[in-house]
Amino acid sequence: MSENVIVRYYFVGGGHLDCEYTDHEMYLISLQTFIEGGLLIFGNMVVNTKNVTNSQILKGSVMDID
């Protein structure tokens, strides 16, 4: 089973970033990192969760891959 989730992070001072998770495990790890106030790394981008004012799930779907 594969989960595809797109989360939009809103930042202090305005602006936002959309991040796509294609692995359920990585999405859960990012939630824990967010709670702990750590850094989220997406390719060549680093998000300091302390600068995030709000987050919103834009898309969430689950697919069965056999």
mmCIF file of all heavy atoms in Angstrom, residues 13-65:
data_model
loop_
_atom_site.group_PDB
_atom_site.id
_atom_site.type_symbol
_atom_site.label_atom_id
_atom_site.label_comp_id
_atom_site.label_asym_id
_atom_site.label_seq_id
_atom_site.Cartn_x
_atom_site.Cartn_y
_atom_site.Cartn_z
ATOM 1 N N GLY A 13 5.795 35.506 8.447
ATOM 2 C CA GLY A 13 6.091 36.557 7.478
ATOM 3 C C GLY A 13 5.456 36.319 6.124
ATOM 4 O O GLY A 13 5.685 37.061 5.187
ATOM 5 N N GLY A 14 4.673 35.283 5.989
ATOM 6 C CA GLY A 14 3.993 34.987 4.724
ATOM 7 C C GLY A 14 4.739 33.938 3.917
ATOM 8 O O GLY A 14 5.839 33.532 4.250
ATOM 9 N N GLY A 15 4.116 33.513 2.877
ATOM 10 C CA GLY A 15 4.688 32.494 2.007
ATOM 11 C C GLY A 15 4.306 31.091 2.442
ATOM 12 O O GLY A 15 3.878 30.865 3.581
ATOM 13 N N HIS A 16 4.409 30.173 1.503
ATOM 14 C CA HIS A 16 4.093 28.784 1.797
ATOM 15 C C HIS A 16 4.914 27.864 0.904
ATOM 16 O O HIS A 16 5.510 28.295 -0.075
ATOM 17 C CB HIS A 16 2.596 28.506 1.624
ATOM 18 C CG HIS A 16 2.126 28.599 0.209
ATOM 19 N ND1 HIS A 16 1.736 29.790 -0.357
ATOM 20 C CD2 HIS A 16 1.998 27.667 -0.758
ATOM 21 C CE1 HIS A 16 1.380 29.573 -1.610
ATOM 22 N NE2 HIS A 16 1.533 28.281 -1.883
ATOM 23 N N LEU A 17 4.940 26.596 1.265
ATOM 24 C CA LEU A 17 5.657 25.577 0.514
ATOM 25 C C LEU A 17 4.808 24.321 0.503
ATOM 26 O O LEU A 17 4.324 23.879 1.544
ATOM 27 C CB LEU A 17 7.013 25.285 1.170
ATOM 28 C CG LEU A 17 7.841 24.156 0.580
ATOM 29 C CD1 LEU A 17 8.306 24.518 -0.828
ATOM 30 C CD2 LEU A 17 9.038 23.872 1.469
ATOM 31 N N ASP A 18 4.609 23.733 -0.686
ATOM 32 C CA ASP A 18 3.879 22.470 -0.808
ATOM 33 C C ASP A 18 4.883 21.336 -0.873
ATOM 34 O O ASP A 18 5.813 21.363 -1.669
ATOM 35 C CB ASP A 18 3.021 22.458 -2.075
ATOM 36 C CG ASP A 18 1.904 23.484 -2.028
ATOM 37 O OD1 ASP A 18 1.592 23.973 -0.932
ATOM 38 O OD2 ASP A 18 1.348 23.794 -3.090
ATOM 39 N N CYS A 19 4.689 20.319 -0.031
ATOM 40 C CA CYS A 19 5.590 19.178 0.032
ATOM 41 C C CYS A 19 4.789 17.901 -0.192
ATOM 42 O O CYS A 19 3.741 17.715 0.410
ATOM 43 C CB CYS A 19 6.296 19.114 1.379
ATOM 44 S SG CYS A 19 7.277 20.572 1.712
ATOM 45 N N GLU A 20 5.307 17.025 -1.046
ATOM 46 C CA GLU A 20 4.621 15.777 -1.362
ATOM 47 C C GLU A 20 5.328 14.600 -0.698
ATOM 48 O O GLU A 20 6.539 14.446 -0.802
ATOM 49 C CB GLU A 20 4.589 15.549 -2.869
ATOM 50 C CG GLU A 20 3.850 14.290 -3.253
ATOM 51 C CD GLU A 20 3.722 14.104 -4.750
ATOM 52 O OE1 GLU A 20 4.256 14.929 -5.504
ATOM 53 O OE2 GLU A 20 3.085 13.130 -5.153
ATOM 54 N N TYR A 21 4.550 13.794 -0.015
ATOM 55 C CA TYR A 21 5.046 12.564 0.602
ATOM 56 C C TYR A 21 4.467 11.398 -0.190
ATOM 57 O O TYR A 21 3.259 11.318 -0.375
ATOM 58 C CB TYR A 21 4.574 12.452 2.059
ATOM 59 C CG TYR A 21 5.085 13.546 2.951
ATOM 60 C CD1 TYR A 21 4.334 14.689 3.166
ATOM 61 C CD2 TYR A 21 6.314 13.438 3.582
ATOM 62 C CE1 TYR A 21 4.789 15.703 4.001
ATOM 63 C CE2 TYR A 21 6.780 14.435 4.423
ATOM 64 C CZ TYR A 21 6.009 15.568 4.618
ATOM 65 O OH TYR A 21 6.469 16.560 5.440
ATOM 66 N N THR A 22 5.307 10.493 -0.659
ATOM 67 C CA THR A 22 4.837 9.325 -1.400
ATOM 68 C C THR A 22 4.983 8.053 -0.574
ATOM 69 O O THR A 22 4.672 6.971 -1.042
ATOM 70 C CB THR A 22 5.609 9.165 -2.723
ATOM 71 O OG1 THR A 22 7.002 9.096 -2.432
ATOM 72 C CG2 THR A 22 5.334 10.341 -3.646
ATOM 73 N N ASP A 23 5.454 8.208 0.653
ATOM 74 C CA ASP A 23 5.671 7.068 1.540
ATOM 75 C C ASP A 23 5.028 7.372 2.891
ATOM 76 O O ASP A 23 5.338 8.387 3.517
ATOM 77 C CB ASP A 23 7.180 6.849 1.692
ATOM 78 C CG ASP A 23 7.536 5.646 2.535
ATOM 79 O OD1 ASP A 23 6.814 5.355 3.510
ATOM 80 O OD2 ASP A 23 8.541 5.005 2.238
ATOM 81 N N HIS A 24 4.137 6.503 3.335
ATOM 82 C CA HIS A 24 3.411 6.710 4.590
ATOM 83 C C HIS A 24 4.377 6.841 5.769
ATOM 84 O O HIS A 24 4.191 7.679 6.646
ATOM 85 C CB HIS A 24 2.440 5.554 4.819
ATOM 86 C CG HIS A 24 1.631 5.688 6.062
ATOM 87 N ND1 HIS A 24 0.660 6.659 6.203
ATOM 88 C CD2 HIS A 24 1.645 5.002 7.221
ATOM 89 C CE1 HIS A 24 0.112 6.549 7.394
ATOM 90 N NE2 HIS A 24 0.693 5.552 8.033
ATOM 91 N N GLU A 25 5.422 6.030 5.783
ATOM 92 C CA GLU A 25 6.411 6.060 6.864
ATOM 93 C C GLU A 25 7.094 7.432 6.950
ATOM 94 O O GLU A 25 7.256 7.988 8.031
ATOM 95 C CB GLU A 25 7.456 4.967 6.638
ATOM 96 C CG GLU A 25 8.526 4.908 7.686
ATOM 97 C CD GLU A 25 8.128 4.087 8.895
ATOM 98 O OE1 GLU A 25 7.173 3.308 8.806
ATOM 99 O OE2 GLU A 25 8.780 4.251 9.931
ATOM 100 N N MET A 26 7.475 7.987 5.807
ATOM 101 C CA MET A 26 8.133 9.295 5.802
ATOM 102 C C MET A 26 7.179 10.403 6.272
ATOM 103 O O MET A 26 7.590 11.343 6.949
ATOM 104 C CB MET A 26 8.680 9.633 4.406
ATOM 105 C CG MET A 26 9.828 8.740 3.988
ATOM 106 S SD MET A 26 11.195 8.700 5.164
ATOM 107 C CE MET A 26 11.763 10.374 5.105
ATOM 108 N N TYR A 27 5.928 10.282 5.928
ATOM 109 C CA TYR A 27 4.938 11.251 6.381
ATOM 110 C C TYR A 27 4.811 11.216 7.903
ATOM 111 O O TYR A 27 4.811 12.260 8.558
ATOM 112 C CB TYR A 27 3.585 10.976 5.710
ATOM 113 C CG TYR A 27 2.476 11.860 6.208
ATOM 114 C CD1 TYR A 27 2.513 13.232 5.976
ATOM 115 C CD2 TYR A 27 1.403 11.337 6.912
ATOM 116 C CE1 TYR A 27 1.501 14.058 6.438
ATOM 117 C CE2 TYR A 27 0.387 12.148 7.371
ATOM 118 C CZ TYR A 27 0.440 13.506 7.127
ATOM 119 O OH TYR A 27 -0.552 14.319 7.589
ATOM 120 N N LEU A 28 4.764 10.013 8.474
ATOM 121 C CA LEU A 28 4.670 9.891 9.933
ATOM 122 C C LEU A 28 5.930 10.413 10.621
ATOM 123 O O LEU A 28 5.852 11.070 11.664
ATOM 124 C CB LEU A 28 4.422 8.432 10.323
ATOM 125 C CG LEU A 28 3.075 7.851 9.896
ATOM 126 C CD1 LEU A 28 2.982 6.392 10.290
ATOM 127 C CD2 LEU A 28 1.932 8.653 10.479
ATOM 128 N N ILE A 29 7.087 10.159 10.034
ATOM 129 C CA ILE A 29 8.346 10.677 10.592
ATOM 130 C C ILE A 29 8.352 12.200 10.554
ATOM 131 O O ILE A 29 8.789 12.852 11.502
ATOM 132 C CB ILE A 29 9.556 10.094 9.832
ATOM 133 C CG1 ILE A 29 9.696 8.604 10.157
ATOM 134 C CG2 ILE A 29 10.842 10.843 10.171
ATOM 135 C CD1 ILE A 29 10.715 7.881 9.298
ATOM 136 N N SER A 30 7.850 12.783 9.468
ATOM 137 C CA SER A 30 7.821 14.250 9.376
ATOM 138 C C SER A 30 6.890 14.849 10.424
ATOM 139 O O SER A 30 7.172 15.917 10.969
ATOM 140 C CB SER A 30 7.429 14.713 7.973
ATOM 141 O OG SER A 30 6.057 14.535 7.752
ATOM 142 N N LEU A 31 5.784 14.160 10.712
ATOM 143 C CA LEU A 31 4.872 14.648 11.761
ATOM 144 C C LEU A 31 5.576 14.662 13.112
ATOM 145 O O LEU A 31 5.438 15.618 13.885
ATOM 146 C CB LEU A 31 3.617 13.788 11.833
ATOM 147 C CG LEU A 31 2.638 13.909 10.684
ATOM 148 C CD1 LEU A 31 1.469 12.947 10.885
ATOM 149 C CD2 LEU A 31 2.128 15.320 10.536
ATOM 150 N N GLN A 32 6.326 13.609 13.421
ATOM 151 C CA GLN A 32 7.061 13.546 14.682
ATOM 152 C C GLN A 32 8.129 14.637 14.737
ATOM 153 O O GLN A 32 8.302 15.289 15.760
ATOM 154 C CB GLN A 32 7.707 12.158 14.861
ATOM 155 C CG GLN A 32 8.365 11.985 16.204
ATOM 156 C CD GLN A 32 7.387 12.100 17.363
ATOM 157 O OE1 GLN A 32 6.247 11.654 17.280
ATOM 158 N NE2 GLN A 32 7.823 12.697 18.441
ATOM 159 N N THR A 33 8.836 14.846 13.630
ATOM 160 C CA THR A 33 9.848 15.904 13.555
ATOM 161 C C THR A 33 9.207 17.264 13.771
ATOM 162 O O THR A 33 9.753 18.121 14.467
ATOM 163 C CB THR A 33 10.561 15.871 12.189
ATOM 164 O OG1 THR A 33 11.171 14.590 12.023
ATOM 165 C CG2 THR A 33 11.617 16.956 12.084
ATOM 166 N N PHE A 34 8.029 17.462 13.191
ATOM 167 C CA PHE A 34 7.302 18.724 13.341
ATOM 168 C C PHE A 34 6.959 18.965 14.813
ATOM 169 O O PHE A 34 7.132 20.066 15.330
ATOM 170 C CB PHE A 34 6.043 18.698 12.481
ATOM 171 C CG PHE A 34 5.388 20.030 12.337
ATOM 172 C CD1 PHE A 34 5.824 20.922 11.377
ATOM 173 C CD2 PHE A 34 4.346 20.396 13.154
ATOM 174 C CE1 PHE A 34 5.227 22.163 11.243
ATOM 175 C CE2 PHE A 34 3.738 21.630 13.029
ATOM 176 C CZ PHE A 34 4.183 22.512 12.066
ATOM 177 N N ILE A 35 6.482 17.935 15.498
ATOM 178 C CA ILE A 35 6.130 18.047 16.914
ATOM 179 C C ILE A 35 7.355 18.397 17.753
ATOM 180 O O ILE A 35 7.276 19.201 18.688
ATOM 181 C CB ILE A 35 5.471 16.737 17.405
ATOM 182 C CG1 ILE A 35 4.097 16.582 16.766
ATOM 183 C CG2 ILE A 35 5.371 16.698 18.921
ATOM 184 C CD1 ILE A 35 3.485 15.199 16.941
ATOM 185 N N GLU A 36 8.496 17.810 17.408
ATOM 186 C CA GLU A 36 9.730 18.031 18.162
ATOM 187 C C GLU A 36 10.429 19.338 17.807
ATOM 188 O O GLU A 36 11.390 19.727 18.460
ATOM 189 C CB GLU A 36 10.686 16.863 17.930
ATOM 190 C CG GLU A 36 10.158 15.558 18.490
ATOM 191 C CD GLU A 36 10.976 14.355 18.090
ATOM 192 O OE1 GLU A 36 11.949 14.502 17.307
ATOM 193 O OE2 GLU A 36 10.646 13.246 18.549
ATOM 194 N N GLY A 37 9.962 20.026 16.758
ATOM 195 C CA GLY A 37 10.560 21.308 16.373
ATOM 196 C C GLY A 37 11.854 21.183 15.616
ATOM 197 O O GLY A 37 12.701 22.067 15.663
ATOM 198 N N GLY A 38 12.022 20.107 14.874
ATOM 199 C CA GLY A 38 13.253 19.867 14.126
ATOM 200 C C GLY A 38 13.210 20.435 12.720
ATOM 201 O O GLY A 38 12.384 21.290 12.394
ATOM 202 N N LEU A 39 14.097 19.933 11.871
ATOM 203 C CA LEU A 39 14.191 20.357 10.481
ATOM 204 C C LEU A 39 13.631 19.275 9.573
ATOM 205 O O LEU A 39 13.912 18.093 9.755
ATOM 206 C CB LEU A 39 15.646 20.621 10.090
ATOM 207 C CG LEU A 39 16.384 21.709 10.864
ATOM 208 C CD1 LEU A 39 17.839 21.747 10.450
ATOM 209 C CD2 LEU A 39 15.732 23.058 10.661
ATOM 210 N N LEU A 40 12.848 19.679 8.576
ATOM 211 C CA LEU A 40 12.351 18.771 7.552
ATOM 212 C C LEU A 40 13.166 19.004 6.287
ATOM 213 O O LEU A 40 13.372 20.149 5.888
ATOM 214 C CB LEU A 40 10.868 19.023 7.271
ATOM 215 C CG LEU A 40 9.908 18.808 8.435
ATOM 216 C CD1 LEU A 40 8.491 19.216 8.018
ATOM 217 C CD2 LEU A 40 9.918 17.358 8.867
ATOM 218 N N ILE A 41 13.626 17.945 5.658
ATOM 219 C CA ILE A 41 14.458 18.061 4.462
ATOM 220 C C ILE A 41 13.705 17.466 3.277
ATOM 221 O O ILE A 41 13.282 16.312 3.311
ATOM 222 C CB ILE A 41 15.805 17.351 4.666
ATOM 223 C CG1 ILE A 41 16.532 17.978 5.851
ATOM 224 C CG2 ILE A 41 16.642 17.419 3.392
ATOM 225 C CD1 ILE A 41 17.771 17.238 6.284
ATOM 226 N N PHE A 42 13.547 18.263 2.222
ATOM 227 C CA PHE A 42 12.882 17.853 0.990
ATOM 228 C C PHE A 42 13.821 18.114 -0.169
ATOM 229 O O PHE A 42 13.917 19.242 -0.646
ATOM 230 C CB PHE A 42 11.583 18.632 0.770
ATOM 231 C CG PHE A 42 10.586 18.464 1.877
ATOM 232 C CD1 PHE A 42 10.475 19.406 2.885
ATOM 233 C CD2 PHE A 42 9.779 17.352 1.914
ATOM 234 C CE1 PHE A 42 9.558 19.248 3.903
ATOM 235 C CE2 PHE A 42 8.856 17.181 2.937
ATOM 236 C CZ PHE A 42 8.746 18.133 3.925
ATOM 237 N N GLY A 43 14.522 17.095 -0.618
ATOM 238 C CA GLY A 43 15.472 17.266 -1.717
ATOM 239 C C GLY A 43 16.537 18.265 -1.324
ATOM 240 O O GLY A 43 17.321 18.021 -0.418
ATOM 241 N N ASN A 44 16.548 19.406 -1.976
ATOM 242 C CA ASN A 44 17.530 20.445 -1.665
ATOM 243 C C ASN A 44 16.957 21.575 -0.802
ATOM 244 O O ASN A 44 17.578 22.611 -0.660
ATOM 245 C CB ASN A 44 18.118 21.025 -2.960
ATOM 246 C CG ASN A 44 17.068 21.685 -3.826
ATOM 247 O OD1 ASN A 44 15.889 21.612 -3.549
ATOM 248 N ND2 ASN A 44 17.507 22.320 -4.893
ATOM 249 N N MET A 45 15.771 21.359 -0.227
ATOM 250 C CA MET A 45 15.140 22.373 0.619
ATOM 251 C C MET A 45 15.094 21.905 2.068
ATOM 252 O O MET A 45 14.860 20.731 2.342
ATOM 253 C CB MET A 45 13.728 22.670 0.141
ATOM 254 C CG MET A 45 13.677 23.188 -1.276
ATOM 255 S SD MET A 45 12.088 23.884 -1.656
ATOM 256 C CE MET A 45 12.111 25.332 -0.662
ATOM 257 N N VAL A 46 15.316 22.834 2.983
ATOM 258 C CA VAL A 46 15.247 22.554 4.412
ATOM 259 C C VAL A 46 14.188 23.459 5.025
ATOM 260 O O VAL A 46 14.196 24.669 4.802
ATOM 261 C CB VAL A 46 16.611 22.797 5.101
ATOM 262 C CG1 VAL A 46 16.506 22.571 6.592
ATOM 263 C CG2 VAL A 46 17.680 21.897 4.495
ATOM 264 N N VAL A 47 13.262 22.866 5.784
ATOM 265 C CA VAL A 47 12.197 23.620 6.433
ATOM 266 C C VAL A 47 12.439 23.586 7.936
ATOM 267 O O VAL A 47 12.477 22.516 8.544
ATOM 268 C CB VAL A 47 10.807 23.015 6.106
ATOM 269 C CG1 VAL A 47 9.722 23.709 6.901
ATOM 270 C CG2 VAL A 47 10.535 23.075 4.620
ATOM 271 N N ASN A 48 12.629 24.765 8.514
ATOM 272 C CA ASN A 48 12.738 24.877 9.965
ATOM 273 C C ASN A 48 11.315 24.932 10.507
ATOM 274 O O ASN A 48 10.596 25.905 10.292
ATOM 275 C CB ASN A 48 13.528 26.125 10.348
ATOM 276 C CG ASN A 48 13.746 26.236 11.838
ATOM 277 O OD1 ASN A 48 13.109 25.552 12.629
ATOM 278 N ND2 ASN A 48 14.645 27.106 12.227
ATOM 279 N N THR A 49 10.903 23.894 11.206
ATOM 280 C CA THR A 49 9.511 23.813 11.664
ATOM 281 C C THR A 49 9.156 24.903 12.673
ATOM 282 O O THR A 49 7.981 25.177 12.883
ATOM 283 C CB THR A 49 9.210 22.430 12.256
ATOM 284 O OG1 THR A 49 10.104 22.173 13.337
ATOM 285 C CG2 THR A 49 9.359 21.342 11.203
ATOM 286 N N LYS A 50 10.153 25.537 13.264
ATOM 287 C CA LYS A 50 9.880 26.633 14.200
ATOM 288 C C LYS A 50 9.360 27.871 13.472
ATOM 289 O O LYS A 50 8.769 28.746 14.088
ATOM 290 C CB LYS A 50 11.133 26.965 14.999
ATOM 291 C CG LYS A 50 11.536 25.826 15.917
ATOM 292 C CD LYS A 50 12.789 26.134 16.666
ATOM 293 C CE LYS A 50 13.187 24.930 17.515
ATOM 294 N NZ LYS A 50 14.428 25.136 18.218
ATOM 295 N N ASN A 51 9.584 27.946 12.151
ATOM 296 C CA ASN A 51 9.114 29.074 11.351
ATOM 297 C C ASN A 51 7.765 28.805 10.692
ATOM 298 O O ASN A 51 7.258 29.639 9.953
ATOM 299 C CB ASN A 51 10.138 29.430 10.272
ATOM 300 C CG ASN A 51 11.413 29.972 10.865
ATOM 301 O OD1 ASN A 51 11.405 30.571 11.924
ATOM 302 N ND2 ASN A 51 12.520 29.739 10.196
ATOM 303 N N VAL A 52 7.190 27.632 10.930
ATOM 304 C CA VAL A 52 5.906 27.265 10.334
ATOM 305 C C VAL A 52 4.783 27.699 11.268
ATOM 306 O O VAL A 52 4.784 27.376 12.445
ATOM 307 C CB VAL A 52 5.833 25.742 10.074
ATOM 308 C CG1 VAL A 52 4.462 25.349 9.572
ATOM 309 C CG2 VAL A 52 6.908 25.312 9.090
ATOM 310 N N THR A 53 3.846 28.474 10.725
ATOM 311 C CA THR A 53 2.721 28.951 11.533
ATOM 312 C C THR A 53 1.512 28.041 11.432
ATOM 313 O O THR A 53 0.692 27.981 12.342
ATOM 314 C CB THR A 53 2.296 30.366 11.105
ATOM 315 O OG1 THR A 53 1.922 30.341 9.726
ATOM 316 C CG2 THR A 53 3.414 31.364 11.325
ATOM 317 N N ASN A 54 1.387 27.339 10.288
ATOM 318 C CA ASN A 54 0.229 26.488 10.056
ATOM 319 C C ASN A 54 0.569 25.485 8.969
ATOM 320 O O ASN A 54 1.446 25.716 8.149
ATOM 321 C CB ASN A 54 -0.965 27.342 9.624
ATOM 322 C CG ASN A 54 -2.260 26.589 9.644
ATOM 323 O OD1 ASN A 54 -2.394 25.559 10.303
ATOM 324 N ND2 ASN A 54 -3.254 27.087 8.913
ATOM 325 N N SER A 55 -0.126 24.367 8.969
ATOM 326 C CA SER A 55 0.019 23.407 7.878
ATOM 327 C C SER A 55 -1.363 22.908 7.497
ATOM 328 O O SER A 55 -2.296 22.932 8.298
ATOM 329 C CB SER A 55 0.926 22.244 8.274
ATOM 330 O OG SER A 55 0.353 21.498 9.313
ATOM 331 N N GLN A 56 -1.484 22.480 6.254
ATOM 332 C CA GLN A 56 -2.770 22.058 5.729
ATOM 333 C C GLN A 56 -2.535 20.884 4.781
ATOM 334 O O GLN A 56 -1.655 20.943 3.932
ATOM 335 C CB GLN A 56 -3.406 23.220 4.974
ATOM 336 C CG GLN A 56 -4.653 22.908 4.229
ATOM 337 C CD GLN A 56 -5.128 24.103 3.416
ATOM 338 O OE1 GLN A 56 -4.406 25.064 3.226
ATOM 339 N NE2 GLN A 56 -6.347 24.024 2.932
ATOM 340 N N ILE A 57 -3.311 19.810 4.920
ATOM 341 C CA ILE A 57 -3.222 18.696 3.982
ATOM 342 C C ILE A 57 -4.058 19.047 2.759
ATOM 343 O O ILE A 57 -5.266 19.262 2.862
ATOM 344 C CB ILE A 57 -3.707 17.383 4.615
ATOM 345 C CG1 ILE A 57 -2.780 16.992 5.759
ATOM 346 C CG2 ILE A 57 -3.773 16.271 3.568
ATOM 347 C CD1 ILE A 57 -3.198 15.748 6.499
ATOM 348 N N LEU A 58 -3.393 19.153 1.608
ATOM 349 C CA LEU A 58 -4.091 19.488 0.367
ATOM 350 C C LEU A 58 -4.643 18.248 -0.314
ATOM 351 O O LEU A 58 -5.672 18.306 -0.975
ATOM 352 C CB LEU A 58 -3.131 20.200 -0.597
ATOM 353 C CG LEU A 58 -2.537 21.505 -0.107
ATOM 354 C CD1 LEU A 58 -1.603 22.060 -1.153
ATOM 355 C CD2 LEU A 58 -3.624 22.510 0.205
ATOM 356 N N LYS A 59 -3.926 17.141 -0.185
ATOM 357 C CA LYS A 59 -4.351 15.909 -0.854
ATOM 358 C C LYS A 59 -3.892 14.724 -0.032
ATOM 359 O O LYS A 59 -2.767 14.702 0.472
ATOM 360 C CB LYS A 59 -3.725 15.833 -2.246
ATOM 361 C CG LYS A 59 -3.998 14.560 -2.993
ATOM 362 C CD LYS A 59 -3.249 14.528 -4.311
ATOM 363 C CE LYS A 59 -3.379 13.171 -4.957
ATOM 364 N NZ LYS A 59 -2.509 13.041 -6.121
ATOM 365 N N GLY A 60 -4.727 13.747 0.112
ATOM 366 C CA GLY A 60 -4.368 12.516 0.785
ATOM 367 C C GLY A 60 -5.067 11.353 0.114
ATOM 368 O O GLY A 60 -6.274 11.378 -0.054
ATOM 369 N N SER A 61 -4.298 10.379 -0.346
ATOM 370 C CA SER A 61 -4.908 9.223 -1.005
ATOM 371 C C SER A 61 -4.086 7.987 -0.710
ATOM 372 O O SER A 61 -2.879 8.067 -0.454
ATOM 373 C CB SER A 61 -5.009 9.441 -2.507
ATOM 374 O OG SER A 61 -3.730 9.582 -3.077
ATOM 375 N N VAL A 62 -4.728 6.861 -0.769
ATOM 376 C CA VAL A 62 -4.056 5.586 -0.528
ATOM 377 C C VAL A 62 -4.293 4.711 -1.750
ATOM 378 O O VAL A 62 -5.400 4.622 -2.260
ATOM 379 C CB VAL A 62 -4.636 4.887 0.732
ATOM 380 C CG1 VAL A 62 -4.010 3.531 0.907
ATOM 381 C CG2 VAL A 62 -4.425 5.748 1.957
ATOM 382 N N MET A 63 -3.204 4.093 -2.243
ATOM 383 C CA MET A 63 -3.291 3.191 -3.390
ATOM 384 C C MET A 63 -2.762 1.827 -3.003
ATOM 385 O O MET A 63 -1.791 1.727 -2.264
ATOM 386 C CB MET A 63 -2.443 3.716 -4.547
ATOM 387 C CG MET A 63 -2.860 5.024 -5.125
ATOM 388 S SD MET A 63 -1.849 5.484 -6.530
ATOM 389 C CE MET A 63 -0.292 5.810 -5.731
ATOM 390 N N ASP A 64 -3.391 0.793 -3.518
ATOM 391 C CA ASP A 64 -2.882 -0.569 -3.368
ATOM 392 C C ASP A 64 -2.023 -0.890 -4.582
ATOM 393 O O ASP A 64 -2.487 -0.767 -5.718
ATOM 394 C CB ASP A 64 -4.043 -1.563 -3.318
ATOM 395 C CG ASP A 64 -4.213 -2.146 -1.926
ATOM 396 O OD1 ASP A 64 -3.283 -2.046 -1.128
ATOM 397 O OD2 ASP A 64 -5.300 -2.680 -1.668
ATOM 398 N N ILE A 65 -0.793 -1.281 -4.336
ATOM 399 C CA ILE A 65 0.110 -1.647 -5.428
ATOM 400 C C ILE A 65 0.452 -3.114 -5.257
ATOM 401 O O ILE A 65 1.042 -3.513 -4.278
ATOM 402 C CB ILE A 65 1.384 -0.790 -5.408
ATOM 403 C CG1 ILE A 65 1.016 0.684 -5.567
ATOM 404 C CG2 ILE A 65 2.336 -1.226 -6.511
ATOM 405 C CD1 ILE A 65 2.175 1.625 -5.441
#
